[in-house]
Structures are given as structure tokens and as C-alpha cells.
Amino acid sequence: MTPPALVLDGVTKVFDDGTRALDGVSLTVGRGELVTLVGPSGCGKTTALRVAAGLEPPTSGSVHLDADPAAVSFVFQDPTLLEWRTATANVALVPELRGVTRAERTERAHRALEDVGLGDALDKRPRQLSGGMRMRVSIARALVADPELALFDEPFGALDEITRLSLQTLLQGIFARRRFAGLFITHSVSEAVYLSDRVLVMGPGRVEAEVAVPFAHPRPPELRFTPEFAALAGDVSRLLERAGGEPTTASESSPSGVTTARGEPATASEGSPSGVTDARGDS
Ligand SMILES: Nc1ncnc2c1ncn2[C@@H]1O[C@H](COP(=O)(O)OP(=O)(O)O)[C@@H](O)[C@H]1O
Ligand SMILES: [Mg+2]
């Protein structure tokens, strides 16, 4: 059996000011597996991702990354594109920094942009692109490195609902073709269930529960409207409530299956005081 791409083993993170952001988090991401972390704002999701990426040392516990560090990609909520560069030149930046020839990196950037449906926008600058298109460029930039492990920190959290659903479908199709290992943070229950093989439910500082998602890849967008999908989303919502979080919307835990699949406003649980004060309460 090949080793997993990423293992966090009993990771605790206490920041200098005493905030205990993670309190014994263990998780594994297998090769070709996409794992989501769901939990309310402030429960430690970003910290877990930063520790996984080696951007932040754990206070105790260990991190094992079994991937070439050059093949670890990030996608954040802010696409962080360089305004003066075209879409192609933004995507080509990473291979450029690694000394790939101009012809080769342009070719690779074009392929990555075509993969995310931006074949018609190769020479556009970020300000000429919509929010969803900018996020597509950001995903293309992550894919151009041919990642073994891709880390996503609420990449779709700032997008409107329609755009968000179409980017979920896009990413799901890319994942089904490329099968990188992925750790994807979201506070949307339906996004987590649609995209991932396993959903890890976080409460303040801890992984409290895990839900396996058995649907085969590729997953059609209509999967979101099935009773099986609604049942799993309901399970995750209930576990989230029990873990000390709250479902992103009341409709997430509705048994009907129709409202569940509609998603929710991107910022539904932002600003909710519960997760933030809970995580700080330990300090
Ligand atoms: N650099 C830091 N210094 C001190 N506290 C931090 C730092 N980064 C995050 N925190 C705190 O750690 C907790 C978890 O934060 P974070 O991982 O960003 O949560 P999430 O991504 O789930 O919203 C929060 O209470 C946050 O305020
Ligand atoms: Mg965060």
C-alpha cells in the first residue's frame, strides 16, 4: 500500500498569545483522495491547513508530507492574481520561477486555463475577469504545477451561489480526471459532501467526527438533488451541531433534499460568534 500523501498526528497548535487553535488533531489524506474539513469560523480550519503545508510549526504532534514540496499547491479565497499580468502569465508564474522555458510554460499555462474553461480568456488581465473567472485562473495556477497535494482554504466562500455551484462542478470534474490528494476547507455542508470522499467535522480545535461519502467520481451536478445526498448532508449537519458548530443554514438539515442542494449564502456562518469564542475560550 502506498503511504498517504498527508498525515497529521495529534497536532496541537497554541499561538504566542495563548490561543489554542488546534488541540490534538489527527487526520490523513490518501493519494487520490479528497478530504474536506467543515466547521464554523474560528474552529481552526485555516490553522490546520497551514500546519499541513509547513507554513506554521505545530506546538506538539507531527506532520508527515509524502509529496514533493514543489508539487503542493494552494488555492485561497482571494485569488491573489498579479493585476499587470495576463491570465496566461499569472498561471505561468510558478513554472517561470522554476526555470521552465517560455514556450513550455506558456503551453502548460494554456492547457491549465483550457482545463478550467478559460480557453477564450488567455490574454485577459484580472480586472477584465469576473470573480468566478479569477478563481478559475487561481485553480489553473494550482493545477499547472501538476500537484500531488492540493490545499484549498474556502476558495469559493466569497462567490455568489450560482458561480459557486458551477465552480464546484468544475473542480469535481478536474478531480475526477486528475485525482490529486486534496484537503479542502469549507463551511458549506453541501459543498463538502459534493466534492469529497470523506468529510471531517470540526468543533473548536478538534476533529469531532468523520463521514465517508461513497459516491463514485465523476459526480454529476444532479447528485446534489438525490435523497442519498440529502441524507449524508443531514448527517454532517447534525454532527456539526453536536460538535459545537452550527449548520450553515437551517435548510441544510432539512430532510427534503431540495433545499439542501441549493447551497447557501457564502457568508452564512461568518460572523457567527459561537465558533470564535469557543476556540478562544480555551486560551
Ligand atoms: N496567528 C495567530 N495568532 C493568534 N491567534 C490566531 C492566529 N491565527 C489564528 N488564530 C486564532 O486561532 C483560532 C482558529 O483560527 P483559524 O484557524 O483561522 O480558524 P478558521 O479557519 O476555522 O476560521 C481563532 O480563534 C483565531 O482567532
Ligand atoms: Mg479560515
Side-chain angles (χ1 to χ4, degrees), residues 83-148:
E83 292 295 332
W84 62 91
R85 284 188 165 231
T86 62
T88 299
N90 265 286
V91 174
L93 183 61
V94 171
E96 183 178 332
L97 294 173
R98 291 182 184 154
V100 176
T101 63
R102 174 181 287 271
E104 160 91 22
R105 67 190 188 237
T106 301
E107 149 78 21
R108 280 166 58 180
H110 284 175
R111 244 185 299 138
L113 284 163
E114 278 153 16
D115 245 12
V116 297
L118 287 182
D120 291 337
L122 301 176
D123 297 321
K124 294 260 200 303
R125 292 186 202 275
R127 84 178 70 86
Q128 298 173 283
L129 303 174
S130 67
M133 291 166 91
R134 293 164 67 100
M135 182 49 69
R136 285 172 193 254
V137 176
S138 180
I139 293 171
R141 188 181 48 195
L143 294 175
V144 80
D146 224 347
E148 292 174 53

Short mmCIF file of all heavy atoms in Angstrom, two decimals, residues 83-148:
data_model
loop_
_atom_site.label_atom_id
_atom_site.label_comp_id
_atom_site.label_asym_id
_atom_site.label_seq_id
_atom_site.Cartn_x
_atom_site.Cartn_y
_atom_site.Cartn_z
N GLU A 83 -2.15 41.90 -11.09
CA GLU A 83 -3.05 42.67 -11.95
C GLU A 83 -2.43 43.02 -13.31
O GLU A 83 -3.13 43.20 -14.29
CB GLU A 83 -3.50 43.96 -11.25
CG GLU A 83 -4.43 43.73 -10.05
CD GLU A 83 -5.77 43.09 -10.44
OE1 GLU A 83 -6.23 43.30 -11.59
OE2 GLU A 83 -6.33 42.38 -9.59
N TRP A 84 -1.10 43.14 -13.35
CA TRP A 84 -0.46 43.58 -14.59
C TRP A 84 -0.13 42.41 -15.52
O TRP A 84 0.37 42.59 -16.61
CB TRP A 84 0.81 44.39 -14.28
CG TRP A 84 1.84 43.59 -13.53
CD1 TRP A 84 2.86 42.86 -14.09
CD2 TRP A 84 1.96 43.46 -12.11
NE1 TRP A 84 3.58 42.25 -13.09
CE2 TRP A 84 3.07 42.61 -11.88
CE3 TRP A 84 1.24 43.96 -11.02
CZ2 TRP A 84 3.47 42.26 -10.60
CZ3 TRP A 84 1.65 43.61 -9.74
CH2 TRP A 84 2.75 42.77 -9.54
N ARG A 85 -0.41 41.20 -15.05
CA ARG A 85 -0.11 40.03 -15.87
C ARG A 85 -1.40 39.48 -16.49
O ARG A 85 -2.45 39.49 -15.85
CB ARG A 85 0.53 38.93 -15.03
CG ARG A 85 1.98 39.19 -14.69
CD ARG A 85 2.58 37.97 -14.02
NE ARG A 85 4.03 38.06 -14.01
CZ ARG A 85 4.84 37.09 -14.43
NH1 ARG A 85 4.36 35.95 -14.87
NH2 ARG A 85 6.14 37.25 -14.40
N THR A 86 -1.29 38.95 -17.68
CA THR A 86 -2.45 38.28 -18.29
C THR A 86 -2.74 36.99 -17.52
O THR A 86 -1.92 36.54 -16.71
CB THR A 86 -2.14 37.88 -19.74
OG1 THR A 86 -1.05 36.95 -19.73
CG2 THR A 86 -1.79 39.09 -20.60
N ALA A 87 -3.90 36.39 -17.82
CA ALA A 87 -4.25 35.11 -17.19
C ALA A 87 -3.14 34.10 -17.46
O ALA A 87 -2.67 33.41 -16.54
CB ALA A 87 -5.59 34.61 -17.74
N THR A 88 -2.68 34.05 -18.70
CA THR A 88 -1.61 33.10 -19.04
C THR A 88 -0.36 33.36 -18.21
O THR A 88 0.24 32.44 -17.64
CB THR A 88 -1.26 33.20 -20.54
OG1 THR A 88 -2.42 32.87 -21.29
CG2 THR A 88 -0.13 32.25 -20.91
N ALA A 89 0.04 34.64 -18.13
CA ALA A 89 1.28 34.97 -17.41
C ALA A 89 1.13 34.74 -15.91
O ALA A 89 2.10 34.39 -15.24
CB ALA A 89 1.69 36.41 -17.70
N ASN A 90 -0.09 34.91 -15.37
CA ASN A 90 -0.31 34.58 -13.96
C ASN A 90 -0.12 33.08 -13.72
O ASN A 90 0.53 32.67 -12.76
CB ASN A 90 -1.71 35.00 -13.52
CG ASN A 90 -1.73 36.38 -12.87
OD1 ASN A 90 -1.30 36.55 -11.73
ND2 ASN A 90 -2.21 37.37 -13.62
N VAL A 91 -0.71 32.28 -14.60
CA VAL A 91 -0.63 30.82 -14.42
C VAL A 91 0.80 30.34 -14.67
O VAL A 91 1.28 29.40 -14.03
CB VAL A 91 -1.64 30.12 -15.33
CG1 VAL A 91 -1.47 28.61 -15.28
CG2 VAL A 91 -3.06 30.51 -14.93
N ALA A 92 1.49 31.02 -15.59
CA ALA A 92 2.86 30.60 -15.95
C ALA A 92 3.89 31.02 -14.91
O ALA A 92 5.05 30.63 -15.00
CB ALA A 92 3.24 31.18 -17.32
N LEU A 93 3.46 31.78 -13.91
CA LEU A 93 4.43 32.33 -12.95
C LEU A 93 5.21 31.24 -12.21
O LEU A 93 6.43 31.33 -12.08
CB LEU A 93 3.70 33.23 -11.94
CG LEU A 93 4.60 33.93 -10.92
CD1 LEU A 93 5.60 34.85 -11.61
CD2 LEU A 93 3.75 34.73 -9.92
N VAL A 94 4.50 30.21 -11.75
CA VAL A 94 5.19 29.18 -10.96
C VAL A 94 6.23 28.44 -11.83
O VAL A 94 7.40 28.37 -11.46
CB VAL A 94 4.19 28.24 -10.28
CG1 VAL A 94 4.89 27.04 -9.66
CG2 VAL A 94 3.41 29.00 -9.20
N PRO A 95 5.84 27.94 -13.01
CA PRO A 95 6.88 27.32 -13.85
C PRO A 95 7.99 28.32 -14.23
O PRO A 95 9.15 27.92 -14.35
CB PRO A 95 6.13 26.84 -15.10
CG PRO A 95 4.70 27.21 -14.93
CD PRO A 95 4.49 27.71 -13.55
N GLU A 96 7.63 29.58 -14.37
CA GLU A 96 8.65 30.59 -14.69
C GLU A 96 9.70 30.66 -13.57
O GLU A 96 10.90 30.67 -13.81
CB GLU A 96 7.97 31.95 -14.88
CG GLU A 96 8.91 33.08 -15.28
CD GLU A 96 8.15 34.40 -15.49
OE1 GLU A 96 6.95 34.35 -15.82
OE2 GLU A 96 8.76 35.46 -15.28
N LEU A 97 9.20 30.72 -12.31
CA LEU A 97 10.10 30.80 -11.17
C LEU A 97 10.95 29.54 -11.05
O LEU A 97 12.02 29.56 -10.47
CB LEU A 97 9.31 31.02 -9.87
CG LEU A 97 8.57 32.36 -9.77
CD1 LEU A 97 7.69 32.40 -8.53
CD2 LEU A 97 9.56 33.53 -9.78
N ARG A 98 10.46 28.46 -11.65
CA ARG A 98 11.23 27.21 -11.59
C ARG A 98 12.11 27.01 -12.81
O ARG A 98 12.67 25.93 -13.01
CB ARG A 98 10.28 26.02 -11.41
CG ARG A 98 9.65 26.05 -10.04
CD ARG A 98 8.73 24.91 -9.76
NE ARG A 98 8.11 25.12 -8.45
CZ ARG A 98 6.95 24.64 -8.07
NH1 ARG A 98 6.26 23.89 -8.91
NH2 ARG A 98 6.49 24.89 -6.89
N GLY A 99 12.19 28.03 -13.65
CA GLY A 99 13.13 27.99 -14.76
C GLY A 99 12.65 27.24 -15.99
O GLY A 99 13.45 26.91 -16.87
N VAL A 100 11.34 26.98 -16.08
CA VAL A 100 10.81 26.34 -17.28
C VAL A 100 10.87 27.34 -18.45
O VAL A 100 10.61 28.53 -18.25
CB VAL A 100 9.34 25.88 -17.02
CG1 VAL A 100 8.71 25.31 -18.28
CG2 VAL A 100 9.29 24.88 -15.87
N THR A 101 11.22 26.87 -19.62
CA THR A 101 11.36 27.78 -20.78
C THR A 101 10.04 28.46 -21.11
O THR A 101 8.96 27.94 -20.81
CB THR A 101 11.81 27.02 -22.06
OG1 THR A 101 10.77 26.09 -22.39
CG2 THR A 101 13.12 26.31 -21.84
N ARG A 102 10.13 29.61 -21.77
CA ARG A 102 8.93 30.39 -22.07
C ARG A 102 7.92 29.59 -22.89
O ARG A 102 6.73 29.56 -22.58
CB ARG A 102 9.32 31.67 -22.84
CG ARG A 102 8.11 32.47 -23.32
CD ARG A 102 8.52 33.71 -24.09
NE ARG A 102 9.05 34.73 -23.20
CZ ARG A 102 8.31 35.67 -22.59
NH1 ARG A 102 7.01 35.70 -22.79
NH2 ARG A 102 8.86 36.56 -21.81
N ALA A 103 8.40 28.91 -23.94
CA ALA A 103 7.48 28.16 -24.81
C ALA A 103 6.75 27.09 -24.01
O ALA A 103 5.53 26.94 -24.10
CB ALA A 103 8.27 27.54 -25.97
N GLU A 104 7.52 26.38 -23.20
CA GLU A 104 6.95 25.27 -22.43
C GLU A 104 5.96 25.78 -21.37
O GLU A 104 4.87 25.24 -21.20
CB GLU A 104 8.12 24.51 -21.76
CG GLU A 104 7.74 23.66 -20.57
CD GLU A 104 7.39 22.23 -20.93
OE1 GLU A 104 7.82 21.78 -22.00
OE2 GLU A 104 6.67 21.58 -20.13
N ARG A 105 6.32 26.88 -20.66
CA ARG A 105 5.42 27.33 -19.59
C ARG A 105 4.15 27.95 -20.17
O ARG A 105 3.07 27.84 -19.59
CB ARG A 105 6.15 28.26 -18.61
CG ARG A 105 6.56 29.59 -19.16
CD ARG A 105 7.47 30.33 -18.19
NE ARG A 105 7.71 31.69 -18.65
CZ ARG A 105 8.91 32.21 -18.89
NH1 ARG A 105 10.00 31.49 -18.71
NH2 ARG A 105 9.02 33.45 -19.30
N THR A 106 4.28 28.60 -21.32
CA THR A 106 3.09 29.16 -21.96
C THR A 106 2.16 28.04 -22.40
O THR A 106 0.94 28.09 -22.18
CB THR A 106 3.50 30.01 -23.19
OG1 THR A 106 4.37 31.05 -22.73
CG2 THR A 106 2.30 30.63 -23.87
N GLU A 107 2.73 27.02 -22.96
CA GLU A 107 1.96 25.84 -23.38
C GLU A 107 1.23 25.20 -22.18
O GLU A 107 0.03 24.90 -22.24
CB GLU A 107 2.94 24.88 -24.07
CG GLU A 107 2.66 23.39 -23.97
CD GLU A 107 1.56 22.96 -24.93
OE1 GLU A 107 1.32 23.69 -25.89
OE2 GLU A 107 0.94 21.90 -24.67
N ARG A 108 1.95 25.08 -21.08
CA ARG A 108 1.35 24.47 -19.89
C ARG A 108 0.27 25.37 -19.30
O ARG A 108 -0.78 24.89 -18.85
CB ARG A 108 2.43 24.16 -18.84
CG ARG A 108 3.16 22.87 -19.19
CD ARG A 108 4.42 22.66 -18.41
NE ARG A 108 4.21 22.66 -16.96
CZ ARG A 108 5.18 22.50 -16.07
NH1 ARG A 108 6.43 22.32 -16.46
NH2 ARG A 108 4.91 22.51 -14.78
N ALA A 109 0.51 26.68 -19.30
CA ALA A 109 -0.49 27.62 -18.77
C ALA A 109 -1.75 27.57 -19.63
O ALA A 109 -2.88 27.58 -19.11
CB ALA A 109 0.09 29.03 -18.72
N HIS A 110 -1.57 27.52 -20.94
CA HIS A 110 -2.74 27.46 -21.84
C HIS A 110 -3.55 26.20 -21.57
O HIS A 110 -4.78 26.24 -21.50
CB HIS A 110 -2.29 27.50 -23.30
CG HIS A 110 -1.87 28.88 -23.73
ND1 HIS A 110 -1.35 29.14 -24.97
CD2 HIS A 110 -1.90 30.07 -23.09
CE1 HIS A 110 -1.06 30.44 -25.08
NE2 HIS A 110 -1.39 31.03 -23.94
N ARG A 111 -2.86 25.09 -21.41
CA ARG A 111 -3.56 23.84 -21.15
C ARG A 111 -4.35 23.91 -19.84
O ARG A 111 -5.50 23.49 -19.75
CB ARG A 111 -2.59 22.66 -21.11
CG ARG A 111 -2.84 21.67 -22.24
CD ARG A 111 -1.96 20.43 -22.12
NE ARG A 111 -0.53 20.79 -22.19
CZ ARG A 111 0.41 20.26 -21.41
NH1 ARG A 111 0.11 19.37 -20.49
NH2 ARG A 111 1.67 20.62 -21.56
N ALA A 112 -3.71 24.47 -18.78
CA ALA A 112 -4.38 24.57 -17.48
C ALA A 112 -5.59 25.50 -17.58
O ALA A 112 -6.65 25.23 -17.00
CB ALA A 112 -3.40 25.07 -16.42
N LEU A 113 -5.45 26.60 -18.33
CA LEU A 113 -6.58 27.54 -18.47
C LEU A 113 -7.71 26.91 -19.29
O LEU A 113 -8.89 27.13 -19.00
CB LEU A 113 -6.09 28.85 -19.10
CG LEU A 113 -5.32 29.75 -18.11
CD1 LEU A 113 -4.51 30.81 -18.85
CD2 LEU A 113 -6.27 30.41 -17.10
N GLU A 114 -7.35 26.12 -20.29
CA GLU A 114 -8.39 25.42 -21.04
C GLU A 114 -9.12 24.42 -20.15
O GLU A 114 -10.34 24.28 -20.22
CB GLU A 114 -7.79 24.72 -22.28
CG GLU A 114 -7.61 25.71 -23.42
CD GLU A 114 -6.49 25.35 -24.39
OE1 GLU A 114 -6.02 24.19 -24.37
OE2 GLU A 114 -6.07 26.25 -25.16
N ASP A 115 -8.37 23.78 -19.26
CA ASP A 115 -8.94 22.83 -18.30
C ASP A 115 -9.99 23.45 -17.40
O ASP A 115 -10.90 22.76 -16.94
CB ASP A 115 -7.82 22.30 -17.39
CG ASP A 115 -7.57 20.83 -17.58
OD1 ASP A 115 -8.09 20.28 -18.56
OD2 ASP A 115 -6.87 20.25 -16.74
N VAL A 116 -9.84 24.73 -17.10
CA VAL A 116 -10.82 25.39 -16.23
C VAL A 116 -11.82 26.22 -17.03
O VAL A 116 -12.53 27.07 -16.49
CB VAL A 116 -10.14 26.28 -15.15
CG1 VAL A 116 -9.27 25.44 -14.23
CG2 VAL A 116 -9.34 27.41 -15.79
N GLY A 117 -11.87 25.98 -18.35
CA GLY A 117 -12.87 26.64 -19.18
C GLY A 117 -12.55 28.08 -19.53
O GLY A 117 -13.45 28.86 -19.86
N LEU A 118 -11.27 28.45 -19.50
CA LEU A 118 -10.90 29.83 -19.82
C LEU A 118 -10.08 29.92 -21.11
O LEU A 118 -9.29 30.84 -21.28
CB LEU A 118 -10.10 30.46 -18.66
CG LEU A 118 -10.90 30.81 -17.41
CD1 LEU A 118 -9.98 31.47 -16.37
CD2 LEU A 118 -12.07 31.74 -17.73
N GLY A 119 -10.32 28.98 -22.01
CA GLY A 119 -9.60 28.99 -23.27
C GLY A 119 -9.79 30.28 -24.07
O GLY A 119 -8.94 30.65 -24.88
N ASP A 120 -10.89 31.01 -23.81
CA ASP A 120 -11.15 32.26 -24.53
C ASP A 120 -10.60 33.48 -23.81
O ASP A 120 -10.77 34.60 -24.29
CB ASP A 120 -12.66 32.46 -24.71
CG ASP A 120 -13.25 31.44 -25.67
OD1 ASP A 120 -12.47 30.90 -26.51
OD2 ASP A 120 -14.45 31.17 -25.57
N ALA A 121 -10.00 33.28 -22.66
CA ALA A 121 -9.57 34.45 -21.85
C ALA A 121 -8.07 34.42 -21.56
O ALA A 121 -7.61 35.04 -20.61
CB ALA A 121 -10.37 34.48 -20.56
N LEU A 122 -7.31 33.73 -22.40
CA LEU A 122 -5.89 33.52 -22.13
C LEU A 122 -5.13 34.83 -21.93
O LEU A 122 -4.23 34.91 -21.10
CB LEU A 122 -5.24 32.74 -23.28
CG LEU A 122 -5.83 31.36 -23.58
CD1 LEU A 122 -5.16 30.75 -24.82
CD2 LEU A 122 -5.68 30.44 -22.37
N ASP A 123 -5.50 35.84 -22.70
CA ASP A 123 -4.73 37.10 -22.67
C ASP A 123 -5.42 38.22 -21.91
O ASP A 123 -5.01 39.37 -21.96
CB ASP A 123 -4.42 37.54 -24.11
CG ASP A 123 -3.55 36.51 -24.82
OD1 ASP A 123 -2.64 35.96 -24.15
OD2 ASP A 123 -3.79 36.23 -26.01
N LYS A 124 -6.49 37.87 -21.19
CA LYS A 124 -7.19 38.89 -20.39
C LYS A 124 -6.42 39.16 -19.11
O LYS A 124 -5.75 38.28 -18.57
CB LYS A 124 -8.59 38.37 -20.03
CG LYS A 124 -9.52 38.21 -21.22
CD LYS A 124 -10.45 39.40 -21.29
CE LYS A 124 -11.71 39.17 -22.12
NZ LYS A 124 -11.50 38.76 -23.50
N ARG A 125 -6.57 40.41 -18.63
CA ARG A 125 -5.97 40.74 -17.33
C ARG A 125 -7.02 40.56 -16.25
O ARG A 125 -8.22 40.62 -16.52
CB ARG A 125 -5.43 42.16 -17.36
CG ARG A 125 -4.24 42.22 -18.30
CD ARG A 125 -3.52 43.54 -18.33
NE ARG A 125 -2.80 43.62 -19.60
CZ ARG A 125 -1.59 43.11 -19.80
NH1 ARG A 125 -0.93 42.53 -18.83
NH2 ARG A 125 -1.02 43.18 -20.99
N PRO A 126 -6.57 40.36 -15.00
CA PRO A 126 -7.53 40.05 -13.92
C PRO A 126 -8.70 41.03 -13.86
O PRO A 126 -9.84 40.61 -13.64
CB PRO A 126 -6.65 40.12 -12.67
CG PRO A 126 -5.31 39.65 -13.14
CD PRO A 126 -5.17 40.23 -14.53
N ARG A 127 -8.45 42.33 -14.07
CA ARG A 127 -9.57 43.27 -13.92
C ARG A 127 -10.63 43.10 -15.00
O ARG A 127 -11.75 43.58 -14.85
CB ARG A 127 -9.05 44.72 -13.86
CG ARG A 127 -8.80 45.39 -15.18
CD ARG A 127 -8.33 46.83 -15.02
NE ARG A 127 -6.98 46.88 -14.47
CZ ARG A 127 -5.86 46.81 -15.20
NH1 ARG A 127 -5.94 46.68 -16.52
NH2 ARG A 127 -4.68 46.85 -14.63
N GLN A 128 -10.28 42.40 -16.06
CA GLN A 128 -11.26 42.14 -17.12
C GLN A 128 -12.08 40.88 -16.85
O GLN A 128 -12.94 40.52 -17.64
CB GLN A 128 -10.53 41.98 -18.46
CG GLN A 128 -9.77 43.23 -18.91
CD GLN A 128 -8.94 42.95 -20.15
OE1 GLN A 128 -7.88 42.34 -20.06
NE2 GLN A 128 -9.44 43.36 -21.30
N LEU A 129 -11.78 40.20 -15.74
CA LEU A 129 -12.43 38.92 -15.45
C LEU A 129 -13.40 39.06 -14.27
O LEU A 129 -13.15 39.83 -13.34
CB LEU A 129 -11.37 37.87 -15.09
CG LEU A 129 -10.28 37.62 -16.14
CD1 LEU A 129 -9.22 36.66 -15.60
CD2 LEU A 129 -10.89 37.06 -17.43
N SER A 130 -14.47 38.26 -14.30
CA SER A 130 -15.41 38.23 -13.17
C SER A 130 -14.76 37.49 -11.99
O SER A 130 -13.71 36.85 -12.14
CB SER A 130 -16.67 37.47 -13.59
OG SER A 130 -16.35 36.11 -13.81
N GLY A 131 -15.41 37.57 -10.84
CA GLY A 131 -14.89 36.89 -9.65
C GLY A 131 -14.72 35.38 -9.87
O GLY A 131 -13.72 34.78 -9.47
N GLY A 132 -15.71 34.79 -10.54
CA GLY A 132 -15.64 33.35 -10.80
C GLY A 132 -14.50 33.02 -11.76
O GLY A 132 -13.81 32.01 -11.59
N MET A 133 -14.29 33.89 -12.76
CA MET A 133 -13.21 33.65 -13.72
C MET A 133 -11.85 33.82 -13.05
O MET A 133 -10.90 33.08 -13.33
CB MET A 133 -13.34 34.59 -14.92
CG MET A 133 -14.55 34.27 -15.80
SD MET A 133 -14.92 35.61 -16.96
CE MET A 133 -13.97 35.13 -18.37
N ARG A 134 -11.76 34.79 -12.15
CA ARG A 134 -10.49 34.98 -11.43
C ARG A 134 -10.18 33.73 -10.59
O ARG A 134 -9.04 33.30 -10.51
CB ARG A 134 -10.55 36.22 -10.53
CG ARG A 134 -10.65 37.52 -11.35
CD ARG A 134 -11.11 38.69 -10.49
NE ARG A 134 -10.14 39.05 -9.48
CZ ARG A 134 -9.29 40.08 -9.57
NH1 ARG A 134 -9.32 40.85 -10.65
NH2 ARG A 134 -8.45 40.33 -8.62
N MET A 135 -11.22 33.19 -9.98
CA MET A 135 -11.00 31.96 -9.20
C MET A 135 -10.59 30.81 -10.11
O MET A 135 -9.76 29.98 -9.75
CB MET A 135 -12.26 31.61 -8.39
CG MET A 135 -12.12 30.37 -7.51
SD MET A 135 -10.63 30.32 -6.48
CE MET A 135 -10.98 31.64 -5.31
N ARG A 136 -11.14 30.77 -11.33
CA ARG A 136 -10.72 29.73 -12.28
C ARG A 136 -9.23 29.87 -12.61
O ARG A 136 -8.52 28.88 -12.73
CB ARG A 136 -11.53 29.80 -13.57
CG ARG A 136 -12.94 29.27 -13.44
CD ARG A 136 -13.76 29.55 -14.70
NE ARG A 136 -15.15 29.30 -14.44
CZ ARG A 136 -15.83 28.23 -14.89
NH1 ARG A 136 -15.24 27.36 -15.67
NH2 ARG A 136 -17.10 28.08 -14.58
N VAL A 137 -8.77 31.11 -12.75
CA VAL A 137 -7.34 31.33 -13.01
C VAL A 137 -6.52 30.81 -11.82
O VAL A 137 -5.49 30.15 -11.98
CB VAL A 137 -7.03 32.83 -13.26
CG1 VAL A 137 -5.52 33.04 -13.42
CG2 VAL A 137 -7.77 33.35 -14.48
N SER A 138 -7.02 31.10 -10.62
CA SER A 138 -6.33 30.65 -9.42
C SER A 138 -6.25 29.11 -9.37
O SER A 138 -5.22 28.54 -9.00
CB SER A 138 -7.07 31.21 -8.20
OG SER A 138 -6.46 30.81 -7.02
N ILE A 139 -7.33 28.45 -9.78
CA ILE A 139 -7.31 26.98 -9.82
C ILE A 139 -6.34 26.49 -10.90
O ILE A 139 -5.56 25.56 -10.68
CB ILE A 139 -8.74 26.43 -10.07
CG1 ILE A 139 -9.63 26.73 -8.86
CG2 ILE A 139 -8.71 24.92 -10.34
CD1 ILE A 139 -11.11 26.43 -9.07
N ALA A 140 -6.35 27.17 -12.06
CA ALA A 140 -5.42 26.79 -13.13
C ALA A 140 -3.97 26.92 -12.65
O ALA A 140 -3.12 26.08 -12.95
CB ALA A 140 -5.64 27.67 -14.37
N ARG A 141 -3.71 27.98 -11.87
CA ARG A 141 -2.35 28.19 -11.36
C ARG A 141 -1.96 27.05 -10.40
O ARG A 141 -0.80 26.67 -10.33
CB ARG A 141 -2.28 29.55 -10.65
CG ARG A 141 -0.87 29.96 -10.26
CD ARG A 141 -0.88 31.30 -9.55
NE ARG A 141 -1.91 31.31 -8.52
CZ ARG A 141 -2.36 32.41 -7.93
NH1 ARG A 141 -1.89 33.60 -8.28
NH2 ARG A 141 -3.28 32.34 -7.00
N ALA A 142 -2.93 26.54 -9.66
CA ALA A 142 -2.63 25.40 -8.79
C ALA A 142 -2.41 24.13 -9.60
O ALA A 142 -1.57 23.30 -9.26
CB ALA A 142 -3.78 25.19 -7.80
N LEU A 143 -3.14 23.98 -10.70
CA LEU A 143 -3.05 22.75 -11.49
C LEU A 143 -1.80 22.69 -12.35
O LEU A 143 -1.31 21.61 -12.67
CB LEU A 143 -4.27 22.63 -12.42
CG LEU A 143 -5.62 22.44 -11.74
CD1 LEU A 143 -6.72 22.47 -12.78
CD2 LEU A 143 -5.62 21.13 -10.96
N VAL A 144 -1.27 23.85 -12.72
CA VAL A 144 -0.16 23.88 -13.67
C VAL A 144 1.08 23.22 -13.06
O VAL A 144 1.94 22.73 -13.77
CB VAL A 144 0.12 25.34 -14.14
CG1 VAL A 144 0.93 26.12 -13.12
CG2 VAL A 144 0.78 25.35 -15.50
N ALA A 145 1.14 23.18 -11.73
CA ALA A 145 2.28 22.53 -11.06
C ALA A 145 2.10 21.02 -10.99
O ALA A 145 2.94 20.33 -10.44
CB ALA A 145 2.45 23.09 -9.66
N ASP A 146 0.99 20.51 -11.58
CA ASP A 146 0.71 19.09 -11.54
C ASP A 146 0.77 18.57 -10.10
O ASP A 146 1.61 17.74 -9.75
CB ASP A 146 1.74 18.34 -12.40
CG ASP A 146 1.05 17.28 -13.23
OD1 ASP A 146 -0.14 17.00 -12.95
OD2 ASP A 146 1.69 16.75 -14.15
N PRO A 147 -0.13 19.07 -9.25
CA PRO A 147 0.03 18.82 -7.81
C PRO A 147 -0.17 17.37 -7.40
O PRO A 147 -1.01 16.68 -7.96
CB PRO A 147 -1.07 19.70 -7.19
CG PRO A 147 -2.11 19.82 -8.25
CD PRO A 147 -1.34 19.84 -9.56
N GLU A 148 0.63 16.95 -6.43
CA GLU A 148 0.38 15.68 -5.75
C GLU A 148 -0.57 15.93 -4.59
O GLU A 148 -1.34 15.06 -4.20
CB GLU A 148 1.69 15.10 -5.20
CG GLU A 148 2.65 14.65 -6.28
CD GLU A 148 3.97 14.22 -5.66
OE1 GLU A 148 3.97 13.38 -4.75
OE2 GLU A 148 5.01 14.77 -6.09
#
